[in-house]
Amino acid sequence: MIIIAFLSLYVAFNLGANDVANAMGTSVGSKAVTLTQAIIIAGILEFTGAVLFGHGVTETLGTKIANPDLFITTPQTLVLGMITVLISAGVWLQIATSLGLPISSSHAVVGAIAGFTWVALGKNAIDWSSIGLITIGWILTPVISATIAAFFYSLIQKWILSQPHPRLQLQEWIPWLSAILLSIFGVIVLPTLTQPLTNFLSEKIGLNIPSHDIPIFTGAIGVIGLTLYSWKKLNSPITNHQSPITNPIEQLFARFQLLSACFVAFAHGANDVGNAIAPLAVIFYINQTNTVPNNGIIIPIWIMIFGGAGIVAGLAIWGKKVIATIGENIISLQPSSGFCAEIATATTILLASRLGLPVSTSHALVGGVVGIGLVQNLKSIKFQTLQGIAAAWVITVPISAVISAIIFSIIRII
């Protein structure tokens, strides 16, 4: 079990090195934060999101992709399969990270599960509808994100950056920017954060508050506070002369972008930690009960902490390669454009979640950055970088499946 736990740590490490660029890549590229600051901020928020809110996605990946009912009579086959998933996903994530390519860890894990399931039970045991949804998400996500980013950045360019007095225009727009930012990310984070408080007030005090009221009230207070703070900063003299951002307009956008990146990091930790620890949770369950988890699974807290720690370690040691790809090697970013890319990413992921589509944050963020490039100047986009990223996207599911099928076949013979 110790070896399996370290395999899970290996996947979490590579996931942190590759996927956390989703949260901080554009902030580093636009110089809103330094690489060291990004690693510290993302590390804290990724770990918090993973430990506190990573249960749901972990349970889905552990029990919904490969149907546990098919392994009722052979639970050890499912154990071998999940070990294969850990090895396959970890290897492919490491290869992609070494090349600086942002890929979807979810797609790598799903591909690996499909690969061992095909070998173990045949192709008819694979949920092909899920694979089809992944393909649809891969195609639509970057397109939608690019469209939203281009639209939003066009508005900012026209009504703020290109105006004779951009400072005055920005001052008028600050309340709206604050509301947009906190509304989008509030929908992702606040309902989950405030649900325990709502339940406590209802059960212990008898105060029944609609579940959406506390997030709305909190968001309104946040909008007012962020607006007042931004007005103060915009009208204050520049005090940090060592900052690489000398434009006061872009300095303020850098603060908005940093806040948006923090929300993305928290949400990413909560959603993607399951890619690393779901196989470990299934294996632990089978070893403890000698049955498959066909009625759901409870994730022990030590597994959540284990996954969160692995993500943070991977980000700190190796995350700079993929952060550089997204933040610097597609287009040159300013805080205003990076902010728009992250807004587009969050909106796209939120819309996809409402539609039940399995999508990738990596796909959405790259699409958002490309959308900014389309508005700025088509020639500013480094298409050679995009070709490498797109190729990695296309082959992630099939190559993970092939690696998994080969490894599972070898392990089963041994």
Side-chain angles (χ1 to χ4, degrees), residues 26-34 243-245 254 257 328 333 335:
T26 56
S27 295
V28 174
S30 68
K31 297 180 174 59
V33 293
T34 66
S243 173
I245 306 171
Q257 185 186 4
E328 301 172 4
L333 290 169

Side-chain angles (χ1 to χ4, degrees), residues 1-5 75-80 82-83 86 279-293 297 302-303:
M1 192 66 194
I2 295 176
I3 295 175
I4 296 171
Q76 290 306 312
T77 300
L78 183 57
V79 170
L80 291 178
M82 288 302 173
I83 293 174
L86 291 173
L280 175 61
V282 171
I283 293 170
F284 180 77
Y285 181 92
I286 293 175
N287 284 344
Q288 292 292 109
T289 65
N290 204 32
T291 60
V292 296
I297 185 171
W302 71 267
I303 291 182

Side-chain angles (χ1 to χ4, degrees), residues 332-372:
S332 297
L333 290 169
Q334 296 292 325
S336 55
S337 54
F339 172 69
C340 292
E342 289 181 352
I343 287 291
T345 299
T347 305
T348 303
I349 297 301
L350 182 59
L351 289 174
S353 298
R354 295 297 185 192
L355 296 174
L357 289 175
V359 296
S360 165
T361 311
S362 300
H363 293 190
L365 188 58
V366 170
V369 172
V370 172
I372 300 298

Side-chain angles (χ1 to χ4, degrees), residues 161-224:
L161 302 179
S162 299
Q163 292 294 314
H165 304 287
R167 185 190 291 264
L168 295 177
Q169 289 297 115
L170 179 56
Q171 187 163 316
E172 294 180 5
W173 272 79
I174 282 175
W176 299 105
L177 293 175
S178 301
I180 292 171
L181 173 63
L182 293 180
S183 295
I184 292 173
F185 292 104
V187 170
I188 298 175
V189 177
L190 283 179
T192 307
L193 284 174
T194 58
Q195 189 61 49
L197 176 60
T198 303
N199 294 339
F200 175 81
L201 293 175
S202 175
E203 296 172 4
K204 303 297 183 181
I205 303 178
L207 184 60
N208 294 317
I209 300 177
S211 58
H212 59 270
D213 280 7
I214 294 179
I216 290 175
F217 176 76
T218 306
I221 297 297
V223 169
I224 295 172

Side-chain angles (χ1 to χ4, degrees), residues 264-280:
V264 173
F266 183 93
H268 178 268
N271 279 273
D272 275 28
V273 69
N275 296 323
I277 65 173
L280 175 61

